[in-house]
Every structure is written in structure tokens, then in C-alpha cells.
Amino acid sequence: TREWRQTHAQALRVKALLPADSFVTVRYEDLCASPDAVVAKLFGFIGVDASEARTADSAPPTHILGNSM
């Protein structure tokens, strides 16, 4: 949609102003193809040890909207 394109263009303009080490880009395709690798990359970026983080396997099952299943 036009709104998405405008928002994406604005995000790219802001990204161009930031130092490269101050943000992480997550592509939807990468998240779908390799969710563990993407999450590990995000944990590394924010300085969290992924082995100590709560995993999806330890969480109770929930719907994508957050409701209990």
C-alpha cells in the first residue's frame, strides 16, 4: 500500500543517518527461513546471552495474537 511504501521510505532515510552498529535489519524472509539464527543475531545485538533467554519451547502455547490456545 501507499502508506507502507511511505513508512518504509522514511525508515530508510532515518537508517541512512544512523551509525551502522546502532540498528539491526530483520528481513521477514530471513525470519521465516531461519528464525533461530535471526533471534540469535538480535540477542547478540542487544547483548543478551541467547542460552539464558526464555525459548519458545519453554513458553506455554499461545495464538499469534497472544491468547492462550
Side-chain angles (χ1 to χ4, degrees):
T1 67
R2 184 169 46 117
E3 182 179 350
W4 182 89
R5 284 191 299 270
Q6 290 173 339
T7 301
H8 187 69
Q10 182 178 8
L12 291 175
R13 287 192 296 274
V14 170
K15 178 182 169 184
L17 300 172
L18 298 172
D21 63 350
S22 68
F23 63 89
V24 149
T25 299
V26 176
R27 292 174 8 111
Y28 177 76
E29 297 86 350
D30 297 337
L31 184 60
C32 290
S34 302
D36 291 340
V38 171
V39 170
K41 179 179 175 181
L42 291 171
F43 281 149
F45 178 74
I46 62 173
V48 172
D49 182 356
S51 67
E52 295 178 14
R54 182 174 163 186
T55 65
D57 295 335
S58 66
T62 57
H63 186 273
I64 191 168
L65 300 175
N67 300 325
S68 296
M69 292 179 59

